[in-house]
Amino acid sequence: MTEGSVRKLVIVGGGTAGWITAAAFARLLGQRLEIELVESEAIGTVGVGEATIPQIIRLNTILGIDEHDFLRRTSGTFKLGIEFVDWGSLGSRYLHTFGDTGLNLAGVAFHHYWRRSMASGAQSSLWDFSLHQAAADQARFGKLDRVGNTAMTGLAYAYHFDASRYALYLRDYSEQRGVTRTEGIVESVERDGTSGDITAISLKGGKRVAGDFFIDCTGFRALLLGQELGVGYDDWSRWLPCDRALAVPSERLPTIVPYTRATAKKAGWQWRIPLQHRTGNGHVYSSGFISDEAAADTLLAGLDTKALDDPRPIRFTTGRRQAFWSHNCVALGLASGFLEPLESTSIHLIQSHVSRLIQLFPRSAHAEVERAEYNRRCTAEFEQIRDFLILHYHQTAREDSEFWRYCKNMDVPDSLTHKLALFAASGRVGRDVDDLFRDASWVQVMLGQGIVPADYDPMADQIEPAQLSEFLANLKTLIARSVAGLPSHEDYLRQHCAADPASLAA
Ligand code: FAD
């Protein structure tokens, strides 16, 4: 054992971030580390965060979680993408799906063939060639790896679930694997006089919890990394001006659709997340452009089902910590920064940061090189997602409110300007190699927000016009046939993962 070796891990905070961290460390390093998680029921969790992206399936696989059991206990549903309503212009609507559209041919992305057909006078939408769109329109879901016996990929999906049940589920998982949970409010932090490393935390009532490495999962408070170690925060509100949310549950939807809806409003947007027993709703808005009272009225007027409670306010500042790891402390979840929930990326960031941390986890708390690498990669990831989110706000024809005029005319990072220009000119995607969002996502959102590329890849001219028409017609037929063979989303849930009545009553 080396001097200063890390034997005891202390996680402060028991929200989604704290329990994902505990579960992952227990599974992958639990034999080597003693793990203690401190949380306070009196403080509670942020209580939102119910929509995910497909990468969560990787986390579940690593943890060995059974999908159906997981959905039963979290009242979860399946998610094929996010429907954006009124974003590019009032009245517009598109689905950012988790899958590909059409079928790439001879190494050329499908949307170039589609664009070519448009140039020859065809009237179709890119989404006429989307398996996900067809399944979403008919509220169907099933496991489908491929479309027929073609190379067309099947349904890629993620989940919606109840946030508080998710944390409880992971808590059970972690405690069964040896994680100790301690209830209490952290009042003070002890540091080493020489290195400045954290050595212990003290709880109200006097209990002291010592450790070698600390994970700050205290939510927006960022008690350890922000308040104690003084790591600053980069504020990105000038690009992503929403800074408040009101969340409210409502009755379940008459038909549980397999997608999240994000409807743009006058000064922000409203989410609708369908769960088995209720619907999650929230209005994310910019306090500079609308009052809290008007924001609450907008939320309640936009509900599809009866509200079950009063709207609950949440404040935030979009941005990130200037370092994610300082001394012997890493912040995860809301303590590390916040990218607003438009593309459901926060839970993904937790799991991605945890897995990076585990890959780089040091034997000794003195780990300058690992720390630098971790900070470098987390920074790039935050910035790439930031740009993708800004795209939704900036690339709009809306000028019907001060908020949208601001978003349309604001300066955006050069990295995004370049991507927009490239796509507008030729339909090509200037995606960074390690960007979370694939080409298919950039294409759907750029088209959905109203960019019609002026040209397409010349390689798409390689096939004859008649072949192109036949190719497109065949794709539509194949998709329609595949979707007709899927069960309804509700039937699938009922059959495989109907919410556990005991956990619903809890
Ligand atoms: P929290 O849930 O706030 O947990 C903090 C923990 O720290 C709690 O256990 C608390 O008790 C503890 N704590 C704090 N101070 C102390 C103290 N002094 N002593 C002891 N314990 C303490 N993400 C998605 O992926 N998809 C979404 O759809 C989505 N929607 C969102 C909508 C909104 C409006 C917001 C604000 C966020 C959303 N997120 C979403 C983000 C998601 O909610 C968070 O990433 C996730 O819940 C993790 O939160 P957390 O665990 O970091 O913090």
Side-chain angles (χ1 to χ4, degrees):
M1 196 86 59
T2 46
E3 203 209 333
S5 66
V6 178
R7 275 167 291 186
K8 167 89 184 274
L9 181 72
V10 178
I11 300 166
V12 186
T16 301
W19 285 114
I20 286 181
T21 307
F25 268 91
R27 173 78 172 185
L28 299 171
L29 280 171
Q31 302 297 323
R32 213 177 75 72
L33 290 174
E34 182 190 344
I35 305 168
E36 181 165 355
L37 184 145
V38 177
E39 68 172 319
S40 158
E41 270 175 24
I43 293 177
T45 65
V46 71
V48 280
E50 310 204 310
T52 59
I53 57 175
Q55 283 74 3
I56 192 167
I57 294 169
R58 240 186 273 157
L59 173 68
N60 284 0
T61 306
I62 291 168
L63 297 181
I65 285 176
D66 174 77
E67 179 174 82
H68 291 163
D69 176 58
F70 163 70
L71 291 172
R72 265 194 295 274
R73 288 183 49 198
T74 58
S75 190
T77 62
F78 291 92
K79 173 179 174 187
L80 298 173
I82 304 173
E83 184 183 45
F84 288 94
V85 179
D86 291 340
W87 282 83
S89 58
L90 273 172
S92 70
R93 185 181 286 267
Y94 68 94
L95 191 70
H96 170 200
T97 75
F98 294 138
D100 300 322
T101 42
L103 179 63
N104 298 349
L105 207 58
V108 182
F110 173 76
H111 70 277
H112 291 287
Y113 294 101
W114 166 79
R115 181 67 187 90
R116 175 183 158 190
S117 76
M118 296 285 287
S120 341
Q123 291 295 319
S124 60
S125 135
L126 182 77
W127 286 267
D128 291 345
F129 306 94
S130 164
L131 175 72
H132 292 69
Q133 179 77 63
D137 286 346
Q138 297 175 40
R140 289 180 190 264
F141 179 81
K143 296 298 175 70
L144 193 66
D145 292 335
R146 289 191 304 150
V147 174
N149 57 2
T150 71
M152 231 194 299
T153 49
L155 286 180
Y157 64 88
Y159 312 114
H160 305 114
F161 49 64
D162 182 294
S164 48
R165 284 183 196 136
Y166 183 54
L168 283 175
Y169 183 85
L170 292 174
R171 174 177 159 187
D172 266 10
Y173 176 99
S174 306
E175 287 183 321
Q176 279 167 27
R177 284 159 184 79
V179 173
T180 309
R181 174 186 179 276
T182 300
E183 171 68 31
I185 297 180
V186 178
E187 271 197 332
S188 61
V189 180
E190 288 170 35
R191 312 261 302 268
D192 181 90
T194 313
S195 66
D197 283 359
I198 298 173
T199 49
I201 51 175
S202 295
L203 310 184
K204 206 169 170 182
K207 187 172 162 65
R208 180 175 180 274
V209 179
D212 304 309
F213 201 92
F214 288 77
I215 312 240
D216 183 351
C217 295
T218 58
F220 290 127
R221 291 172 189 79
L223 202 69
L224 303 183
L225 195 81
Q227 289 183 33
E228 179 61 37
L229 296 175
V231 173
Y233 195 83
D234 278 347
D235 180 341
W236 288 340
S237 307
R238 64 189 177 287
W239 295 311
L240 293 166
C242 291
D243 59 355
R244 290 190 192 179
L246 287 160
V248 72
S250 68
E251 287 176 350
R252 86 195 282 281
L253 292 174
T255 301
I256 302 178
V257 291
Y259 56 88
T260 307
R261 176 174 290 162
T263 306
K265 299 290 180 185
K266 288 253 179 233
W269 62 280
Q270 180 157 344
W271 80 74
R272 188 192 71 179
I273 297 177
L275 303 179
Q276 291 189 44
H277 64 305
R278 64 161 169 84
T279 308
N281 308 275
H283 183 194
V284 175
Y285 59 97
S286 174
S287 60
F289 295 91
I290 191 174
S291 68
D292 295 335
E293 294 70 28
D297 292 345
T298 302
L299 170 65
L300 295 173
L303 297 182
D304 291 322
T305 51
K306 192 169 155 241
L308 297 172
D309 211 336
D310 292 329
R312 191 168 54 81
I314 304 166
R315 293 181 176 207
F316 56 83
T317 305
T318 292
R320 67 166 181 93
R321 291 267 148 225
Q322 282 157 356
F324 299 92
W325 177 348
S326 172
H327 295 78
N328 60 339
C329 176
V330 165
L332 288 166
L334 300 174
S336 69
F338 184 56
L339 286 163
E340 62 135 286
L342 188 56
E343 284 283 357
S344 322
T345 41
S346 289
I347 295 173
H348 166 73
L349 279 170
I350 299 168
Q351 84 178 68
S352 146
H353 287 198
V354 172
S355 88
R356 185 167 300 138
L357 179 61
I358 289 176
Q359 280 164 17
L360 291 167
F361 201 69
R363 278 185 190 283
S364 146
H366 312 295
E368 289 75 18
V369 190
E370 289 88 348
R371 191 160 58 213
E373 177 63 3
Y374 181 85
N375 284 329
R376 181 184 76 78
R377 283 159 60 187
C378 293
T379 300
E381 191 174 27
F382 252 80
E383 287 176 356
Q384 283 160 356
I385 297 174
R386 175 199 69 194
D387 285 3
F388 192 63
L389 296 183
I390 296 172
L391 161 65
H392 299 67
Y393 285 97
H394 178 62
Q395 184 60 49
T396 182
R398 285 190 67 160
E399 296 199 12
D400 54 293
S401 69
E402 209 187 328
F403 174 82
W404 287 107
R405 285 191 291 278
Y406 171 81
C407 293
K408 188 176 175 197
N409 296 312
M410 68 187 170
D411 286 331
V412 300
D414 292 344
S415 42
L416 177 59
T417 306
H418 167 72
K419 288 187 177 77
L420 296 178
L422 183 66
F423 187 74
S426 64
R428 293 187 173 98
V429 180
R431 171 184 174 273
D432 301 328
V433 185
D434 53 356
D435 191 338
L436 167 66
F437 290 101
R438 304 173 320 131
D439 280 14
S441 287
W442 281 95
V443 168
Q444 291 175 50
V445 175
M446 288 195 281
L447 276 175
Q449 292 292 134
I451 306 178
V452 180
D455 200 355
Y456 56 88
D457 190 325
M459 284 197 291
D461 283 333
Q462 292 278 82
I463 61 172
E464 294 300 321
Q467 278 179 306
L468 178 61
S469 301
E470 193 187 344
F471 171 58
L472 295 178
N474 284 345
L475 286 178
K476 278 192 192 174
T477 308
L478 281 166
I479 288 171
R481 212 179 280 155
S482 277
V483 170
L486 293 173
S488 77
H489 182 216
E490 296 222 22
D491 278 349
Y492 188 93
L493 291 170
R494 215 172 323 186
Q495 206 179 341
H496 299 285
C497 34
D500 176 6
S503 69
L504 286 184

